[in-house]
C-alpha cells in the first residue's frame, strides 16, 4: 500500500504514528491528549499519523474527522490488518526526520517522548526504545504480564544475543533515513515487528538508545498474550534461521549504515578481534567441558575409560566446532560447513591423542584409579588441548578473519 504524503506542506521534524485496529472508543481521547502534549511540550514541528489497519468498526471515520479538525493530524488507511504492516509502510514513506510510535492506550508517560527522540535528532543514536525493564523504570502491571515480558526478553538475550532490554514496549522511534534502509528486511506484519527490527538493527551495527519509562498497564488491552507469545517465538526461529543461513544482507547494510567500531590503541602482538574471540571461545569451552564430563561419567561404566573418553570428546567436538563457527568467529551460512567440521574432527583427534596418552600414563602408574580421578586428569589434559584447539580454529577460519579485517579497514578508510 502506498502512503500518501503531502509534499507541498513543510516536512515535520517528528512524525508520531498511532497504529489502530477497532479503537473507535479510545482513539479521539488519545489523539487529543497527545496533540495537546506535543503542542505544549515539543520544541519541534510535528505531525500525528493515525494508521488504521483494516478496522471493522467506526475507527476510520473517527480518524478522518480528527484529521479534518486538527491541522497536525493525518489519517492513513491500510486494507490489511497488522500493526507491523502499518508501521513499516508509514515509517518508510514519512517525510519527517524522525518517526516514532506509541500505543493508542498511551500506557507510557508522554514525558518520555522528548528523551526518546532527542538522541536521534542529535545524531547520537539510530533507534530509540522505551524500556519498562530498566532499573529506573516505574511500571504498574500484573504479575503474569511481568513474568511473560521478562521471560521473553531473557529468551532474546540467550537465543538471539540481543543486548536491548525491552523488545515489546509500545514506545519506539527511528531516524527515517535508517528506516528506509532497514525496514525492507523486516518481514513480520504483527507484534513481532519490533523485535525483528531491533535484532536486525543490532546485527547491522546501529546504535539503540534505551529510555526508562513510566508505564501503567491498560486492563482493557486487546492483546492476546498467549497467541502473541507463540507468534513471537516462531518469529525468533525464523529470524535466527535467516541469520544463520546468511540469507539477510547484514554485511552490506553494516558497511552502508552501520557504525564503525571505535579505533583504540593497538595491543602489541594481539591480532584484531583476538580478545573477543578468546572470551567467546572460553564460554563455549566451559560448556563443552561440562558436557564432556557428564558424557564421560555416563559412558564409563558401559564401555570403559578410553572408549568413553573418545566418544565424549567426539560428540562435544562436533558441537564445539559448530558453536565456535557461529558465535566465536561469526561464520554464517552453509558454505564450507562440512569442510569446517572435517577440520574440526582432525583437531579433535589431536586433542584426543593428548588425553588418551594422559589416561594411559595415569593407569600405568595408578592402575586402580577410579573414574573421578580419570575425569580430573582428562580435564587438565583437555585444557592443554583447548589452547591447541583455539589456535587451530583460528587457522580453520583464517579466510573469514582476513576478510573481516579487510572489510573493517576498508570501511574505516572510506569514512575518513
Amino acid at each position: 500500500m502506498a502512503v500518501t504524503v503531502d509534499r507541498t506542506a513543510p516536512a515535520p521534524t517528528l512524525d508520531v504514528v498511532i497504529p489502530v485496529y477497532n479503537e473507535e472508543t479510545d482513539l479521539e481521547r488519545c489523539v487529543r491528549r497527545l496533540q495537546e502534549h506535543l503542542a505544549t511540550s515539543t520544541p519541534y514541528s510535528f505531525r500525528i499519523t493515525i494508521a488504521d489497519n483494516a478496522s471493522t468498526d467506526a475507527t476510520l471515520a473517527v480518524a478522518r474527522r480528527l484529521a479534518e479538525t486538527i491541522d497536525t493530524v493525518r489519517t492513513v488507511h491500510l486494507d490489511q490488518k497488522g500493526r507491523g504492516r502499518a508501521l513499516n509502510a508509514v515509517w518508510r514513506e514519512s517525510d519527517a526526520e524522525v518517526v516514532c510510535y506509541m500505543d493508542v492506550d498511551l500506557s507510557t508517560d508522554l514525558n518520555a517522548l522528548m528523551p526518546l527522540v532527542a538522541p536521534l535528532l542529535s545524531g547520537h543514536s539510530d533507534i530509540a526504545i522505551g524500556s519498562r525493564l530498566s532499573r529506573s523504570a516505574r511500571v504498574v502491571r500484573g504479575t503474569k504480564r511481568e513474568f511473560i515480558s521478562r521471560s521473553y526478553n531473557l529468551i532474546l538475550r540467550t537465543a538471539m544475543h540481543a543486548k536491548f532490554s525491552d523488545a515489546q514496549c509500545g514506545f519506539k522511534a527511528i531516524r527515517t533515513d535508517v528506516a528506509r534502509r532497514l525496514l525492507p528486511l523486516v518481514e513480520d506484519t504483527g507484534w513481532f515487528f519490533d523485535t525483528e527490527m531491533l535484532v536486525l538493527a543490532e546485527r547491522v551495527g546501529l546504535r539503540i538508545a534505551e529510555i526508562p519509562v513510566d508505564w501503567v498497564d491498560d486492563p482493557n488491552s486487546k492483546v492476546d498474550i498467549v497467541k502473541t507469545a507463540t507468534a513471537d517465538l516462531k518469529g525468533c526461529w525464523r529470524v535466527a534461521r535467516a541469520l544463520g543461513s546468511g540469507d539477510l544482507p547484514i554485511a552490506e547494510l553494516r558497511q552502508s549504515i552501520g557504525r564503525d567500531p571505535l579505533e583504540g590503541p593497538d595491543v602489541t602482538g594481539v591480532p584484531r578481534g583476538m580478545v573477543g574471540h578468546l572470551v567467546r571461545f572460553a564460554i563455549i569451552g566451559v560448556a563443552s567441558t561440562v558436557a564432556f564430563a557428564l558424557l564421560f561419567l555416563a559412558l564409563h561404566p558401559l564401555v570403559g575409560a578410553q572408549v568413553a573418553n573418545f566418544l565424549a570428546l567426539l560428540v562435544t567436538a562436533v558441537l564445539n566446532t559448530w558453536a565456535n563457527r557461529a558465535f566465536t568467529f561469526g561464520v554464517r551460512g552453509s558454505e564450507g560447513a562440512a569442510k569446517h567440521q572435517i577440520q574440526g574432527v582432525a583437531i579433535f583427534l589431536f586433542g584426543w591423542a593428548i588425553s588418551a596418552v594422559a589416561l594411559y600414563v595415569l593407569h600405568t602408574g595408578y592402575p586402580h584409579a577410579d573414574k573421578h580421578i580419570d575425569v580430573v586428569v582428562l580435564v587438565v589434559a583437555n585444557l592443554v588441548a583447548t589452547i591447541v584447539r583455539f589456535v587451530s580454529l583460528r587457522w580453520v577460519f583464517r579466510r573469514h578473519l582476513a576478510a573481516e579485517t579487510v572489510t573493517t579497514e576498508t570501511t574505516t578508510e572510506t569514512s575518513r
Side-chain angles (χ1 to χ4, degrees), residues 87-164:
L87 289 174
N88 202 322
V90 176
W91 276 2
R92 287 164 62 181
E93 294 296 329
S94 179
D95 57 348
E97 185 177 345
V98 168
V99 288
C100 65
Y101 95 90
M102 57 189 67
D103 292 333
V104 70
D105 57 19
L106 298 185
S107 293
T108 304
D109 185 358
L110 293 177
N111 288 321
L113 183 57
M114 283 302 96
L116 184 79
V117 301
L120 308 185
L121 292 171
S122 69
H124 176 272
S125 301
D126 307 297
I127 297 176
I129 66 174
S131 175
R132 301 161 297 183
L133 303 181
S134 296
R135 289 186 177 181
S136 56
R138 297 188 300 175
V139 177
V140 178
R141 64 174 165 181
T143 304
K144 178 180 178 182
R145 294 195 69 166
E146 179 77 10
F147 174 78
I148 291 175
S149 179
R150 291 190 177 275
S151 298
Y152 177 61
N153 282 283
L154 178 61
I155 291 173
L156 290 179
R157 286 175 174 271
T158 53
M160 307 291 287
H161 305 286
K163 296 180 177 62
F164 49 85

Side-chain angles (χ1 to χ4, degrees), residues 64 193 260 299:
R64 286 173 173 167
F193 169 85
D260 295 335
L299 293 171

Side-chain angles (χ1 to χ4, degrees), residues 5 8 15 43 76 95 104 106 154 159 165 213 224 315 327 332 359:
V5 177
T8 63
D15 193 353
V76 173
D95 57 348
V104 70
L106 298 185
L154 178 61
S165 67
V213 297
D224 186 328
V315 171
F327 301 112
R332 308 291 181 182
L359 268 183

Side-chain angles (χ1 to χ4, degrees), residues 20-22 52-56 78-86 189-191 222 227:
V20 291
Y21 173 76
N22 289 352
D52 172 57
N53 49 106
S55 292
T56 56
L78 292 88
D79 295 328
Q80 293 178 290
K81 183 181 176 182
R83 186 194 66 148
R85 177 182 284 109
T189 59
W191 291 94
K222 300 174 183 177
K227 182 178 179 181

